[in-house]
Amino acid sequence: QPTRKASEEVYEEEEEEYEIVRKKVFNLEPQSVDDAILEMNMLDHTFFMFKDIVTGEINVVYKRKDGKYGLLLPE
């Protein structure tokens, strides 16, 4: 077997373990982005999943560290 140089060594990454401690099921009412942000803020959450009233797609709004908002859209 050929020997490997130090730069060619294969390192195995340890898999990070996680545990889901809560599941929440809820009805996604169609709503606008503005209404989703309002509801997220009323719930005092940092993100909120909703069904877009215009497209019917599942979207996520979230509060950024800079205090502004972001919107995640499916491709």
Side-chain angles (χ1 to χ4, degrees):
Q1 237 182 11
T3 58
R4 292 185 183 188
K5 295 179 183 175
S7 62
E8 296 175 347
E9 287 183 24
V10 177
Y11 295 96
E12 291 185 28
E13 292 184 31
E14 290 184 31
E15 288 189 29
E16 198 171 313
E17 291 187 27
Y18 62 90
E19 177 184 5
I20 296 175
V21 296
R22 181 175 183 219
K23 290 183 184 180
K24 185 174 181 180
V25 178
F26 58 98
N27 188 19
L28 293 177
E29 294 292 329
Q31 56 188 291
S32 69
V33 173
D34 290 339
D35 287 341
I37 291 172
L38 179 63
E39 191 165 347
M40 175 183 67
N41 287 334
M42 288 188 330
L43 294 169
D44 198 28
H45 288 175
T46 56
F47 69 92
F48 187 77
M49 183 171 61
F50 68 102
K51 185 181 229 181
D52 187 281
I53 198 164
V54 176
T55 65
E57 293 179 330
I58 305 302
N59 295 336
V60 175
V61 290
Y62 62 97
K63 194 160 193 173
R64 296 167 36 100
K65 290 179 183 178
D66 63 8
K68 297 179 182 178
Y69 297 95
L71 177 64
L72 302 177
L73 304 167
E75 189 172 314

Coordinates of all heavy atoms in Angstrom, one line a residue:
Q1 N 0.8 -1.2 0.0 CA 0.0 0.0 0.0 C 0.9 1.3 0.0 O 1.8 1.3 0.8 CB -0.8 0.0 1.3 CG -2.3 0.1 1.0 CD -3.1 0.1 2.3 OE1 -2.5 0.3 3.4 NE2 -4.4 -0.1 2.2
P2 N 0.6 2.2 -0.9 CA 1.4 3.4 -0.9 C 1.2 4.2 0.4 O 0.1 4.2 1.0 CB 0.9 4.2 -2.1 CG -0.4 3.5 -2.6 CD -0.4 2.2 -1.9
T3 N 2.2 4.9 0.8 CA 2.1 5.7 2.0 C 1.5 7.1 1.6 O 1.7 7.6 0.5 CB 3.4 5.9 2.7 OG1 4.3 6.5 1.8 CG2 4.0 4.6 3.2
R4 N 0.8 7.7 2.6 CA 0.2 9.0 2.3 C 1.0 10.1 3.0 O 1.5 9.9 4.1 CB -1.2 9.1 2.9 CG -2.2 8.2 2.2 CD -3.6 8.4 2.7 NE -4.5 7.5 2.1 CZ -5.8 7.6 2.2 NH1 -6.3 8.4 3.0 NH2 -6.6 6.7 1.6
K5 N 1.1 11.2 2.4 CA 1.7 12.3 3.0 C 0.7 13.0 4.0 O -0.5 12.8 3.8 CB 2.1 13.4 1.9 CG 3.2 12.9 1.0 CD 3.5 13.9 -0.1 CE 4.5 13.4 -1.1 NZ 4.7 14.3 -2.1
A6 N 1.2 13.7 4.9 CA 0.3 14.4 5.9 C -0.8 15.2 5.3 O -1.9 15.2 5.7 CB 1.1 15.2 6.9
S7 N -0.4 15.9 4.1 CA -1.4 16.7 3.5 C -2.5 15.9 2.8 O -3.6 16.4 2.4 CB -0.8 17.6 2.5 OG -0.2 16.9 1.5
E8 N -2.3 14.6 2.6 CA -3.3 13.8 2.0 C -4.1 12.9 2.9 O -4.9 12.1 2.5 CB -2.6 12.8 1.0 CG -1.9 13.5 -0.1 CD -1.1 12.6 -1.0 OE1 -0.9 11.4 -0.6 OE2 -0.7 13.0 -2.1
E9 N -3.9 13.1 4.2 CA -4.7 12.3 5.2 C -6.2 12.6 5.1 O -6.6 13.8 4.9 CB -4.2 12.6 6.6 CG -2.8 12.0 6.9 CD -2.4 12.2 8.3 OE1 -3.2 12.4 9.2 OE2 -1.2 12.2 8.5
V10 N -6.9 11.6 5.3 CA -8.4 11.8 5.3 C -8.9 11.9 6.8 O -8.5 11.1 7.6 CB -9.1 10.5 4.7 CG1 -10.6 10.6 4.7 CG2 -8.6 10.3 3.2
Y11 N -9.6 12.9 7.0 CA -10.1 13.2 8.3 C -11.6 12.9 8.3 O -12.3 13.4 7.5 CB -9.9 14.6 8.8 CG -8.4 15.0 8.9 CD1 -7.7 15.6 7.9 CD2 -7.7 14.7 10.1 CE1 -6.4 15.9 8.0 CE2 -6.4 15.0 10.2 CZ -5.7 15.6 9.2 OH -4.4 15.9 9.3
E12 N -12.0 12.1 9.3 CA -13.5 11.9 9.5 C -14.1 12.9 10.4 O -13.6 13.2 11.5 CB -13.7 10.5 10.1 CG -13.3 9.4 9.1 CD -13.6 8.0 9.7 OE1 -14.6 7.9 10.5 OE2 -12.9 7.1 9.4
E13 N -15.1 13.6 9.9 CA -15.8 14.6 10.7 C -16.7 13.9 11.6 O -17.5 13.0 11.2 CB -16.5 15.6 9.8 CG -15.6 16.5 9.0 CD -16.4 17.5 8.2 OE1 -17.4 17.9 8.7 OE2 -15.9 17.8 7.1
E14 N -16.8 14.3 12.9 CA -17.7 13.8 13.8 C -19.1 14.3 13.5 O -19.2 15.5 13.2 CB -17.4 14.2 15.2 CG -16.1 13.5 15.7 CD -15.9 13.9 17.2 OE1 -16.8 14.1 17.9 OE2 -14.7 13.9 17.6
E15 N -20.1 13.5 13.4 CA -21.4 13.9 13.2 C -22.0 14.6 14.4 O -21.9 14.0 15.5 CB -22.3 12.7 12.8 CG -22.0 12.2 11.4 CD -23.1 11.2 10.9 OE1 -24.2 11.3 11.4 OE2 -22.7 10.3 10.1
E16 N -22.6 15.7 14.2 CA -23.2 16.4 15.3 C -24.5 15.8 15.7 O -25.4 15.6 14.8 CB -23.3 17.9 15.0 CG -23.5 18.8 16.1 CD -23.5 20.3 15.8 OE1 -22.5 20.6 15.0 OE2 -24.4 21.0 16.2
E17 N -24.7 15.5 16.9 CA -26.0 14.9 17.3 C -27.0 15.9 17.7 O -26.6 17.0 18.3 CB -25.8 13.9 18.5 CG -25.0 12.6 18.0 CD -24.9 11.6 19.1 OE1 -25.8 11.6 20.0 OE2 -23.9 10.8 19.1
Y18 N -28.2 15.7 17.5 CA -29.3 16.7 17.9 C -30.5 15.9 18.3 O -30.7 14.7 17.9 CB -29.6 17.7 16.8 CG -30.1 17.1 15.5 CD1 -31.5 16.9 15.4 CD2 -29.2 16.7 14.5 CE1 -32.0 16.4 14.2 CE2 -29.7 16.2 13.3 CZ -31.1 16.0 13.2 OH -31.6 15.5 12.0
E19 N -31.3 16.5 19.0 CA -32.6 15.9 19.5 C -33.7 16.9 19.3 O -33.6 18.0 19.7 CB -32.4 15.5 21.0 CG -33.7 14.9 21.5 CD -33.6 14.7 23.0 OE1 -32.5 15.0 23.6 OE2 -34.5 14.1 23.6
I20 N -34.8 16.4 18.6 CA -35.9 17.3 18.5 C -36.7 17.1 19.8 O -37.2 16.0 20.1 CB -36.8 16.9 17.3 CG1 -35.9 17.1 16.0 CG2 -38.1 17.6 17.2 CD1 -36.6 16.6 14.7
V21 N -37.0 18.2 20.5 CA -37.6 18.1 21.8 C -39.1 18.6 21.7 O -39.8 18.4 22.7 CB -36.9 18.9 22.9 CG1 -35.5 18.3 23.1 CG2 -36.7 20.4 22.5
R22 N -39.5 19.1 20.6 CA -40.9 19.6 20.5 C -41.3 19.6 19.0 O -40.5 20.0 18.2 CB -41.0 21.0 21.1 CG -42.4 21.5 21.0 CD -42.5 22.8 21.8 NE -43.9 23.3 21.7 CZ -44.3 24.5 21.6 NH1 -43.4 25.4 21.4 NH2 -45.5 24.8 21.6
K23 N -42.5 19.2 18.8 CA -43.1 19.3 17.4 C -44.4 20.1 17.6 O -45.1 20.0 18.6 CB -43.5 17.9 16.9 CG -42.3 17.1 16.5 CD -42.7 15.8 15.9 CE -41.5 14.9 15.6 NZ -42.0 13.7 15.0
K24 N -44.6 21.0 16.6 CA -45.8 21.8 16.7 C -46.5 21.7 15.3 O -45.9 22.0 14.3 CB -45.5 23.3 17.0 CG -46.7 24.2 17.2 CD -46.2 25.5 17.6 CE -47.5 26.4 17.8 NZ -47.1 27.7 18.3
V25 N -47.8 21.4 15.3 CA -48.6 21.3 14.1 C -49.6 22.5 14.2 O -50.2 22.7 15.2 CB -49.3 20.0 14.0 CG1 -50.2 19.9 12.8 CG2 -48.3 18.8 14.0
F26 N -49.6 23.2 13.1 CA -50.6 24.3 13.0 C -51.1 24.5 11.6 O -50.4 24.1 10.6 CB -50.0 25.6 13.6 CG -48.7 26.1 12.9 CD1 -48.8 27.0 11.9 CD2 -47.5 25.5 13.2 CE1 -47.6 27.5 11.3 CE2 -46.3 25.9 12.6 CZ -46.4 26.9 11.6
N27 N -52.2 25.2 11.5 CA -52.9 25.4 10.2 C -52.2 26.7 9.6 O -52.1 27.7 10.3 CB -54.4 25.7 10.4 CG -55.1 25.8 9.1 OD1 -54.6 25.4 8.1 ND2 -56.3 26.3 9.2
L28 N -51.8 26.6 8.4 CA -51.2 27.7 7.7 C -52.3 28.5 7.0 O -52.7 28.1 5.9 CB -50.2 27.3 6.7 CG -48.9 26.7 7.3 CD1 -48.0 26.2 6.2 CD2 -48.2 27.6 8.2
E29 N -52.8 29.6 7.6 CA -53.8 30.4 7.0 C -53.1 31.3 5.9 O -52.0 31.9 6.2 CB -54.5 31.3 8.0 CG -55.3 30.6 9.0 CD -56.5 29.9 8.4 OE1 -57.1 30.5 7.4 OE2 -56.9 28.9 8.9
P30 N -53.7 31.5 4.7 CA -53.1 32.4 3.7 C -53.1 33.8 4.3 O -54.1 34.3 4.9 CB -54.0 32.2 2.5 CG -54.7 30.9 2.7 CD -54.8 30.7 4.2
Q31 N -51.9 34.5 4.1 CA -51.8 35.8 4.6 C -50.7 36.6 3.8 O -49.9 35.9 3.2 CB -51.6 35.9 6.1 CG -50.4 35.1 6.6 CD -50.4 35.1 8.1 OE1 -50.2 36.1 8.8 NE2 -50.6 34.0 8.7
S32 N -50.7 37.9 4.0 CA -49.7 38.7 3.3 C -48.4 38.6 4.1 O -48.4 38.3 5.3 CB -50.2 40.1 3.2 OG -50.2 40.7 4.5
V33 N -47.3 39.1 3.5 CA -46.0 39.2 4.3 C -46.2 40.1 5.4 O -45.7 39.8 6.5 CB -44.9 39.6 3.3 CG1 -43.6 39.9 4.1 CG2 -44.7 38.6 2.2
D34 N -46.8 41.3 5.2 CA -47.0 42.2 6.3 C -47.8 41.6 7.5 O -47.4 41.8 8.6 CB -47.8 43.5 5.8 CG -46.9 44.3 4.9 OD1 -45.7 44.2 4.9 OD2 -47.5 45.1 4.1
D35 N -48.9 40.9 7.2 CA -49.6 40.2 8.3 C -48.8 39.2 9.0 O -48.9 39.0 10.2 CB -50.9 39.6 7.7 CG -51.9 40.7 7.4 OD1 -51.8 41.8 7.9 OD2 -52.9 40.3 6.6
A36 N -48.0 38.4 8.2 CA -47.1 37.4 8.8 C -46.1 38.1 9.8 O -45.8 37.5 10.9 CB -46.4 36.6 7.8
I37 N -45.5 39.2 9.4 CA -44.6 39.9 10.3 C -45.3 40.4 11.5 O -44.8 40.3 12.6 CB -43.9 41.0 9.5 CG1 -42.9 40.5 8.4 CG2 -43.1 42.0 10.5 CD1 -42.3 41.5 7.5
L38 N -46.5 41.0 11.3 CA -47.3 41.4 12.5 C -47.5 40.3 13.4 O -47.3 40.4 14.7 CB -48.6 42.0 12.0 CG -49.5 42.6 13.0 CD1 -48.9 43.7 13.8 CD2 -50.8 43.0 12.4
E39 N -48.0 39.1 12.9 CA -48.3 38.0 13.8 C -47.0 37.5 14.5 O -47.0 37.1 15.7 CB -48.9 36.9 13.0 CG -49.5 35.8 13.8 CD -50.5 34.9 13.1 OE1 -50.9 35.2 12.0 OE2 -50.8 33.8 13.7
M40 N -45.9 37.4 13.7 CA -44.6 37.0 14.3 C -44.2 37.9 15.5 O -43.8 37.4 16.6 CB -43.5 37.0 13.3 CG -42.1 36.7 13.8 SD -40.8 36.9 12.6 CE -40.8 38.6 12.2
N41 N -44.4 39.2 15.3 CA -44.1 40.2 16.4 C -45.0 40.0 17.6 O -44.6 40.2 18.7 CB -44.0 41.6 15.8 CG -42.8 41.8 15.0 OD1 -41.8 41.2 15.1 ND2 -42.9 42.8 14.0
M42 N -46.3 39.8 17.3 CA -47.3 39.7 18.4 C -47.0 38.4 19.2 O -47.2 38.4 20.4 CB -48.7 39.6 17.8 CG -49.2 40.9 17.3 SD -51.0 41.0 16.9 CE -51.4 39.4 16.3
L43 N -46.5 37.4 18.6 CA -46.1 36.1 19.3 C -44.7 36.2 19.9 O -44.3 35.4 20.6 CB -46.1 35.0 18.3 CG -47.5 34.6 17.7 CD1 -47.3 33.6 16.6 CD2 -48.4 34.0 18.8
D44 N -44.0 37.3 19.6 CA -42.6 37.5 20.1 C -41.7 36.4 19.6 O -40.9 35.9 20.4 CB -42.6 37.7 21.6 CG -41.3 38.3 22.1 OD1 -40.7 39.1 21.3 OD2 -40.9 38.0 23.2
H45 N -41.8 36.0 18.4 CA -41.0 35.0 17.8 C -39.9 35.7 16.9 O -40.1 36.8 16.5 CB -41.8 34.0 16.9 CG -42.6 33.1 17.8 ND1 -43.5 32.2 17.2 CD2 -42.7 32.9 19.1 CE1 -44.1 31.5 18.1 NE2 -43.7 31.9 19.3
T46 N -38.9 35.0 16.5 CA -37.9 35.5 15.6 C -38.1 35.0 14.2 O -37.4 35.5 13.3 CB -36.5 35.1 16.1 OG1 -36.4 33.7 16.2 CG2 -36.1 35.8 17.4
F47 N -39.0 34.1 14.0 CA -39.4 33.6 12.6 C -40.8 33.2 12.6 O -41.4 32.9 13.7 CB -38.4 32.5 12.2 CG -38.6 31.2 12.9 CD1 -39.5 30.2 12.4 CD2 -38.0 31.0 14.1 CE1 -39.7 29.1 13.1 CE2 -38.2 29.8 14.8 CZ -39.0 28.8 14.3
F48 N -41.4 33.1 11.4 CA -42.8 32.7 11.3 C -43.0 32.1 9.9 O -42.7 32.7 8.9 CB -43.7 34.0 11.5 CG -45.2 33.6 11.6 CD1 -45.7 33.1 12.7 CD2 -46.0 33.9 10.5 CE1 -47.1 32.8 12.8 CE2 -47.3 33.6 10.5 CZ -47.9 33.0 11.7
M49 N -43.6 30.9 9.9 CA -43.9 30.3 8.6 C -45.4 30.5 8.3 O -46.2 30.5 9.1 CB -43.7 28.7 8.8 CG -43.9 28.0 7.5 SD -43.4 26.3 7.5 CE -44.4 25.6 8.8
F50 N -45.6 30.8 7.0 CA -47.0 31.1 6.6 C -47.2 30.8 5.1 O -46.2 30.5 4.4 CB -47.3 32.6 6.8 CG -46.5 33.5 5.9 CD1 -47.1 34.1 4.8 CD2 -45.2 33.8 6.1 CE1 -46.4 34.9 3.9 CE2 -44.5 34.7 5.3 CZ -45.1 35.2 4.2
K51 N -48.5 30.7 4.7 CA -48.8 30.5 3.3 C -49.1 31.8 2.7 O -50.0 32.6 3.1 CB -50.0 29.6 3.2 CG -50.4 29.2 1.8 CD -51.7 28.3 1.9 CE -51.4 27.1 1.0 NZ -52.6 26.2 1.0
D52 N -48.3 32.2 1.6 CA -48.5 33.5 1.0 C -49.9 33.5 0.3 O -50.3 32.7 -0.5 CB -47.4 33.7 0.0 CG -47.4 35.1 -0.6 OD1 -48.2 35.3 -1.5 OD2 -46.6 35.9 -0.2
I53 N -50.6 34.6 0.6 CA -52.0 34.8 0.1 C -52.0 34.9 -1.4 O -53.0 34.6 -2.1 CB -52.7 35.9 0.8 CG1 -54.2 35.8 0.6 CG2 -52.2 37.3 0.3 CD1 -55.0 36.6 1.5
V54 N -50.9 35.4 -2.0 CA -50.9 35.7 -3.5 C -50.4 34.4 -4.2 O -51.0 34.0 -5.2 CB -49.9 36.9 -3.8 CG1 -49.8 37.1 -5.3 CG2 -50.4 38.2 -3.2
T55 N -49.3 33.8 -3.8 CA -48.7 32.7 -4.5 C -49.2 31.3 -4.0 O -49.1 30.4 -4.7 CB -47.2 32.7 -4.4 OG1 -46.8 32.5 -3.0 CG2 -46.6 34.0 -4.9
G56 N -49.7 31.3 -2.8 CA -50.1 30.0 -2.2 C -48.9 29.2 -1.7 O -49.1 28.0 -1.2
E57 N -47.7 29.7 -1.8 CA -46.5 29.0 -1.4 C -46.2 29.2 0.1 O -46.6 30.2 0.7 CB -45.3 29.4 -2.2 CG -45.4 29.1 -3.7 CD -44.2 29.6 -4.5 OE1 -43.6 30.6 -4.1 OE2 -43.9 28.9 -5.5
I58 N -45.5 28.2 0.6 CA -45.1 28.3 2.0 C -43.8 29.2 2.1 O -42.9 28.9 1.4 CB -44.8 26.9 2.6 CG1 -45.9 26.0 2.5 CG2 -44.3 27.1 4.1 CD1 -47.2 26.5 3.1
N59 N -43.9 30.2 2.9 CA -42.8 31.2 3.1 C -42.4 31.3 4.5 O -43.2 30.9 5.4 CB -43.1 32.6 2.5 CG -43.4 32.6 1.0 OD1 -42.9 31.8 0.3 ND2 -44.1 33.6 0.6
V60 N -41.3 31.9 4.8 CA -40.9 32.1 6.2 C -40.4 33.6 6.3 O -39.5 34.0 5.5 CB -39.7 31.2 6.6 CG1 -39.2 31.5 8.0 CG2 -40.2 29.7 6.6
V61 N -40.9 34.3 7.2 CA -40.3 35.6 7.5 C -39.5 35.5 8.8 O -39.8 34.6 9.6 CB -41.4 36.7 7.7 CG1 -42.1 37.1 6.4 CG2 -42.4 36.4 8.8
Y62 N -38.4 36.3 8.9 CA -37.6 36.2 10.1 C -37.0 37.6 10.4 O -36.9 38.4 9.6 CB -36.5 35.2 10.0 CG -35.5 35.5 8.8 CD1 -34.3 36.1 9.1 CD2 -35.8 35.1 7.5 CE1 -33.4 36.4 8.1 CE2 -34.9 35.4 6.5 CZ -33.7 36.0 6.8 OH -32.8 36.3 5.8
K63 N -36.7 37.8 11.7 CA -36.1 39.0 12.2 C -34.6 38.8 12.2 O -34.1 37.9 12.8 CB -36.6 39.4 13.6 CG -36.3 40.8 14.0 CD -37.2 41.2 15.1 CE -37.1 42.7 15.2 NZ -38.0 43.3 16.2
R64 N -34.0 39.8 11.5 CA -32.5 39.7 11.4 C -31.9 40.3 12.6 O -32.5 41.1 13.4 CB -32.1 40.5 10.2 CG -32.6 39.8 8.9 CD -32.4 40.7 7.7 NE -31.2 41.5 7.7 CZ -30.1 41.2 7.0 NH1 -30.1 40.2 6.2 NH2 -29.1 42.0 7.1
K65 N -30.6 40.1 12.8 CA -29.9 40.6 14.0 C -29.8 42.2 13.9 O -29.7 42.8 14.9 CB -28.4 40.1 14.0 CG -28.4 38.6 14.5 CD -27.0 38.1 14.5 CE -27.0 36.6 14.8 NZ -25.7 36.0 14.9
D66 N -29.9 42.7 12.7 CA -29.8 44.2 12.5 C -31.2 44.8 12.8 O -31.4 46.0 12.6 CB -29.3 44.6 11.2 CG -30.1 44.1 10.0 OD1 -31.2 43.6 10.2 OD2 -29.6 44.2 8.8
G67 N -32.2 44.0 13.1 CA -33.5 44.5 13.4 C -34.5 44.6 12.2 O -35.6 44.9 12.3
K68 N -33.9 44.3 11.0 CA -34.7 44.3 9.8 C -35.3 42.9 9.6 O -35.1 42.0 10.4 CB -33.9 44.7 8.6 CG -33.4 46.2 8.8 CD -32.5 46.6 7.6 CE -32.0 48.0 7.8 NZ -31.1 48.4 6.7
Y69 N -36.0 42.7 8.5 CA -36.7 41.4 8.3 C -36.2 40.8 7.1 O -35.8 41.4 6.1 CB -38.2 41.7 8.2 CG -38.8 42.2 9.5 CD1 -39.0 43.6 9.6 CD2 -39.1 41.4 10.5 CE1 -39.5 44.1 10.8 CE2 -39.7 41.9 11.7 CZ -39.9 43.2 11.8 OH -40.4 43.7 13.0
G70 N -36.3 39.4 7.0 CA -35.9 38.7 5.9 C -37.1 37.8 5.5 O -38.0 37.5 6.3
L71 N -37.1 37.3 4.2 CA -38.1 36.5 3.7 C -37.5 35.3 3.0 O -36.7 35.5 2.1 CB -39.0 37.3 2.8 CG -40.2 36.6 2.1 CD1 -41.2 36.0 3.1 CD2 -40.8 37.5 1.1
L72 N -37.9 34.1 3.4 CA -37.4 32.9 2.7 C -38.5 32.4 1.7 O -39.6 32.2 2.2 CB -37.0 31.8 3.7 CG -36.0 32.2 4.7 CD1 -35.8 31.0 5.7 CD2 -34.7 32.5 4.1
L73 N -38.1 32.2 0.5 CA -39.1 31.8 -0.6 C -38.6 30.4 -1.2 O -37.4 30.2 -1.4 CB -39.1 32.8 -1.7 CG -39.5 34.2 -1.3 CD1 -39.2 35.2 -2.4 CD2 -40.9 34.3 -0.8
P74 N -39.5 29.5 -1.5 CA -39.1 28.3 -2.1 C -38.7 28.6 -3.6 O -39.2 29.5 -4.2 CB -40.4 27.4 -2.0 CG -41.5 28.4 -2.0 CD -41.0 29.6 -1.2
E75 N -37.9 27.7 -4.1 CA -37.4 27.9 -5.5 C -38.4 27.2 -6.4 O -39.0 26.2 -6.2 CB -36.1 27.3 -5.7 CG -35.5 27.6 -7.1 CD -34.1 27.2 -7.2 OE1 -33.3 27.4 -6.3 OE2 -33.7 26.5 -8.2

